Amino acid sequence: MTKVLVTGASGFIAKHIIRELLEQGYEVRGTVRSDTRKAEIDALYPDAAIEYAMLDLTADDGWAEAMAGVDVLMHTASPFPLADPKDPQELIGPAVDGTLRALRAAQAAGITRVILTSSCVAIYKEAGKAPEARSTRDNWTDPNADYVSAYEASKTLAEKAAWDFVAEHPEMELTTVNPGVVLGPAMDTNYGASLELAEQFLDGSLPMLPEMNMPVVDVRDVARMHVGAIAAPESVGFRFPANAGALSMIEIAEAAAAAHPDRKISTRKAPNLLVRMMGLFVPTMKQVSRNLGRNLDVDGSDAEKAFDFTYIPSRDAVVASTTFLADNGV
């Protein structure tokens, strides 16, 4: 039976990946940083024989033991900040080093199949591409551009490091899954910052909305893509943007408002000038202001063909998120 090592196993996406793996009959070993995180997963799958390894992305200890007996590495772990740090290296360093640490350990253990969780943020801000143009998997974000955040740079550089590594080790078979904004229901209430955007719509903390769009995908489809890649040798060597269709901030708000008429969800557009002015003083608005006038849509159609599924519509993913949150007291 194929054994899959899932790094960052207690993450929002990873918990769904583990569910998909178990349902399809794979053996699972998950990496976690504490017994508390292990307990979260055990609570979801009390009858599953999941193995665990205690690891830290920033340390070498334990990686060799974690890889022993594993057939597939599924590297989902990466820093996910609420806001950009003052020093971008606080994000970039752990993201790149953690990815290379996992790949080196896999290569040393003789593991050749790797599925890496990247992001659409590593795609949609290519230098020289017309800002209004839609992106494809052939595009790469410029990590040095002044309109690119530390998080976007970290995901881009980590993915580039992975592709460079497998180029140097041709026995390694890499597929990357590049999700947009991942919505949908969480497996439990320990979802960290992953549903922060949905929370902000639901609790009315966004009185006005910037004029920008974003690729959107349901977490269940992201998990399906990761697991589908194991049995799809034709996916080796390719990036797969995960995007059911871009939505504007106003369209997201409209979907949430229609599903929750009892909530005061604003669908008002914020003037671009106001957004730019706020970006001068409010750190969270700085990146938003950089996205004005830029099309962040990415073509995700390759994934449906490669993994033989149909995306959950973006608006349904929005509603699944907000419904989960509302049902759990948000």
Side-chain angles (χ1 to χ4, degrees):
M1 187 179 294
T2 301
K3 180 176 290 187
V4 182
L5 178 68
V6 181
T7 67
S10 63
F12 174 55
I13 294 173
K15 285 174 180 172
H16 280 271
I17 290 174
I18 290 172
R19 173 190 54 78
E20 190 80 15
L21 287 168
L22 293 173
E23 288 180 356
Q24 295 195 29
Y26 291 98
E27 292 185 354
V28 177
R29 179 180 295 160
T31 75
V32 292
R33 290 183 296 172
S34 68
D35 288 332
T36 300
R37 297 304 188 194
K38 174 181 177 294
E40 289 177 16
I41 302 167
D42 283 338
L44 291 172
Y45 310 106
D47 299 322
I50 299 173
E51 300 175 4
Y52 294 96
M54 295 287 182
L55 289 180
D56 190 315
L57 276 179
T58 63
D60 292 329
D61 295 345
W63 283 94
E65 293 80 4
M67 297 289 175
V70 168
D71 302 292
V72 178
L73 168 62
M74 204 165 283
H75 184 51
T76 77
S78 186
F80 184 75
L82 288 171
D84 267 6
K86 291 182 178 179
D87 180 2
Q89 286 302 318
E90 291 180 21
L91 275 181
I92 293 171
V96 174
D97 293 346
T99 296
L100 289 175
R101 185 170 282 109
L103 287 170
R104 290 184 186 119
Q107 196 265 343
I111 300 167
T112 58
R113 188 68 177 106
V114 179
I115 295 100
L116 171 70
T117 311
S118 186
S119 175
C120 278
V121 305
I123 294 174
Y124 57 42
K125 289 186 177 179
E126 182 171 294
K129 183 174 70 69
E132 68 277 7
R134 191 185 195 202
S135 299
T136 73
R137 67 183 182 187
D138 295 324
N139 295 117
W140 280 93
T141 289
D142 179 0
N144 299 311
D146 59 6
Y147 49 78
V148 171
S149 70
Y151 175 68
E152 291 167 338
S154 75
K155 296 299 289 187
T156 303
L157 292 169
E159 188 187 343
K160 279 183 174 290
W163 287 114
D164 289 344
F165 183 88
V166 300
E168 295 170 2
H169 302 277
E171 75 277 13
M172 304 288 284
E173 299 179 336
L174 176 64
T175 300
T176 68
V177 178
N178 296 61
V181 175
V182 183
L183 297 175
M187 294 295 295
D188 56 25
T189 56
N190 301 300
Y191 49 81
S194 298
L195 293 181
E196 181 188 20
L197 179 64
E199 288 179 346
Q200 290 176 330
F201 280 105
L202 197 61
D203 66 16
S205 60
L206 296 173
M208 290 190 293
L209 306 169
E211 189 176 16
M212 59 173 283
N213 71 346
M214 57 187 66
V216 174
V217 66
D218 192 288
V219 64
R220 292 164 289 186
D221 285 340
V222 177
R224 186 177 292 118
M225 290 170 61
H226 279 77
V227 179
I230 298 174
E234 64 275 15
S235 72
V236 172
F238 291 101
R239 317 165 80 198
F240 288 93
N243 175 24
L247 296 176
S248 69
M249 293 283 280
I250 290 175
E251 287 171 329
I252 294 174
E254 288 173 344
H260 306 280
D262 57 317
R263 300 293 185 104
K264 294 181 179 180
I265 299 174
S266 174
T267 58
R268 294 176 57 203
K269 175 182 174 295
N272 286 351
L273 179 60
L274 175 62
V275 174
R276 291 190 174 97
M277 289 180 63
M278 291 178 65
L280 298 174
F281 307 102
V282 182
T284 56
M285 292 301 292
K286 183 177 182 179
Q287 185 56 40
V288 172
S289 68
R290 291 169 173 168
N291 291 335
L292 295 176
R294 185 175 295 277
N295 183 7
L296 303 184
D297 192 12
V298 180
D299 183 359
S301 61
D302 289 329
E304 289 185 310
K305 301 168 190 172
F307 306 122
D308 192 25
F309 76 104
T310 301
Y311 282 116
I312 297 167
S314 297
R315 287 174 176 79
D316 292 354
V318 172
V319 173
S321 291
T322 55
T323 300
F324 171 84
L325 294 169
D327 289 345
N328 286 275
V330 175

